[in-house]
Amino acid sequence: MIERQLWHPVLASHTLREAPLGLGLLGESLVLWRDHGAVHAWADRCPHRGARLSLGRVLTTVQGPRLECPYHGWQFEAGGRCRHVPASPDFQPPVGHATTAFEAREAHGLVWVRLDAPAAGLPDAPPAFAEAGDPGWRRVVCGPYAVATSAPRLVENFLDLSHFGFVHEGWLGERGHAQVLGGVVSESPQGLQVLKARAWQPRGYAEAGGGAWVDYAYEVSHPYAALLRKDASDGDPVRNAIALFIRPDGDEACTAWFVMATQNDRSSDEALVDFQDTVFAQDRPVVESQTPKALPIGRTARVAEVHGPADRVSSAYRRYLQRLGIALGTC
Ligand code: FES
Ligand code: CO
């Protein structure tokens, strides 16, 4: 399954502390735990008698950090191998006494996990987001948002400027000013880029003082992630880059985070999160109302959707998914 070969965000980095945490990804139960800085993601099942390792605890031993199973106290080291069986302290556990370890890393304030090695042509790292790691930008993580639709529906919503005047009236758009201008779309096997898409915004960010034309640039380099950069055309110094990162939770549900990177915006982190929460609360009922919840594309699509000229970006995104071979609605 191609989705197992992609990096997926699973939780915000700051929520993973000393205690191990259990969560689901693509039908796998995972335990996540930290050893000093490093993050580990393993199958949440002890190979001894199947107890959940996420109910255990992290130990600091002279041999290094270990995860202790809650049932019989077996200890597992980084990599997943059992190194100590308290009931038989002289027993040397063989290599096979191990839990499955998956690849895990942190990027952009989130923990990312990949279940299987990727086929050629798939991205080898979580999507790039330079501003989120640049000390010249402030980074704020918003979410998680559990959403009752598929990840691609949410990506399309993020790429879509033409809903602003209706869903976000008075915030990101005005119905009397709904025209979307231009946008140069370039497509490649790795994704797509959009430059100079333009929309009128009465209040394009938390502290915006008045309406302005706002230029949007988009980047998609992962099927369930998208990045936008926006700059007001009237010289306003506030700059925002916002990434949407989504974990698919089956065909009809997903969990999303927005990671914002901002410059020259004096609003507090809480105000930025409130703004994003408000905007997303406007999107939610509409995107959750869309049927089917999986994008209706590809040969197996049972319904067709029609398009307008302002839908060029979502059409390019659909082509990207099809190039990747993601069988929508069945993955
Ligand atoms: Fe984990 Fe026995 S079930 S130590
Ligand atoms: Co919206």
Side-chain angles (χ1 to χ4, degrees), residues 157-158 160 163-164 167-168 172 279 282-283:
N157 176 64
F158 187 74
D160 174 22
H163 75 282
F164 285 179
V167 173
H168 306 296
L172 302 182
V279 167
Q282 295 164 348
D283 283 308

Side-chain angles (χ1 to χ4, degrees), residues 46 48-49 51 69 71-74:
C46 180
H48 177 220
R49 289 295 179 266
C69 178
Y71 200 177
H72 310 99
W74 287 26

Side-chain angles (χ1 to χ4, degrees), residues 292 294-305 318 322 327-330:
L295 284 187
I297 63 172
R299 269 187 235 109
T300 55
R302 295 215 183 101
V303 298
E305 290 182 348
R318 292 177 182 203
Q322 290 184 293
L328 294 153
T330 58

Side-chain angles (χ1 to χ4, degrees), residues 1-317:
M1 181 164 84
I2 192 170
E3 289 197 330
R4 292 179 61 91
Q5 301 172 32
L6 298 170
W7 285 100
H8 296 285
V10 293
L11 81 172
S13 285
H14 67 85
T15 59
L16 182 60
R17 301 178 191 212
E18 301 79 36
L21 281 178
L23 56 85
L25 175 63
L26 303 176
E28 295 275 358
S29 293
L30 304 182
V31 53
L32 274 87
W33 65 283
R34 275 190 191 285
D35 107 37
H36 306 302
V39 174
H40 304 283
W42 296 351
D44 191 9
R45 182 180 180 282
C46 180
H48 177 220
R49 289 295 179 266
R52 279 196 184 277
L53 293 169
S54 55
L55 298 176
R57 58 181 185 150
V58 178
L59 303 176
T60 304
T61 73
V62 287
Q63 293 89 4
R66 291 177 173 173
L67 186 59
E68 181 190 73
C69 178
Y71 200 177
H72 310 99
W74 287 26
Q75 293 176 12
F76 299 84
E77 66 176 9
R81 184 169 171 189
C82 178
R83 286 298 191 181
H84 182 58
V85 173
S88 313
D90 298 329
F91 174 60
Q92 302 278 331
V95 176
H97 283 42
T99 187
T100 305
F102 301 105
E103 291 178 277
R105 63 171 77 166
E106 290 179 272
H108 323 316
L110 299 172
V111 176
W112 297 73
V113 174
R114 179 165 67 181
L115 298 176
D116 287 341
L122 289 177
D124 200 36
F129 184 8
E131 291 90 338
D134 182 334
W137 292 69
R138 180 156 55 114
R139 186 180 73 193
V140 179
V141 176
C142 307
Y145 304 91
V147 192
T149 194
S150 65
R153 285 286 196 194
L154 214 49
V155 172
E156 280 203 351
N157 176 64
F158 187 74
L159 299 174
D160 174 22
L161 294 173
S162 63
H163 75 282
F164 285 179
F166 306 92
V167 173
H168 306 296
E169 189 167 21
W171 289 69
L172 302 182
E174 281 175 7
R175 67 177 57 222
H177 234 315
Q179 188 183 7
V180 172
L181 296 181
V184 181
V185 183
S186 24
E187 299 179 53
S188 74
Q190 287 72 43
L192 57 115
Q193 278 200 328
V194 183
L195 296 175
K196 288 211 172 299
R198 185 172 263 209
W200 174 266
Q201 298 201 324
R203 189 176 178 224
Y205 55 90
E207 287 293 290
W213 285 102
V214 178
D215 285 331
Y216 277 68
Y218 288 105
E219 246 176 60
V220 178
S221 61
H222 181 294
Y224 305 139
L227 173 60
L228 74 79
R229 298 182 170 94
K230 55 196 266 191
D231 287 296
S233 61
D234 63 359
D236 190 318
V238 172
R239 302 180 70 203
N240 282 300
I242 305 175
L244 168 63
F245 297 125
I246 311 172
R247 181 183 77 208
D249 298 323
D251 291 341
E252 303 204 338
C254 62
T255 303
W257 290 265
F258 294 95
V259 179
M260 310 177 68
T262 183
Q263 275 187 329
N264 304 320
D265 189 331
R266 291 184 316 245
S267 33
S268 65
D269 288 4
E270 292 72 30
L272 292 178
V273 172
D274 281 352
F275 183 82
Q276 196 59 38
D277 284 353
T278 301
V279 167
F280 192 67
Q282 295 164 348
D283 283 308
R284 179 192 288 280
V286 179
V287 296
E288 291 187 337
S289 81
Q290 289 177 279
T291 54
K293 289 182 183 292
L295 284 187
I297 63 172
R299 269 187 235 109
T300 55
R302 295 215 183 101
V303 298
E305 290 182 348
V306 295
H307 313 284
D311 299 321
R312 283 169 43 230
V313 179
S314 71
S315 296
Y317 171 64

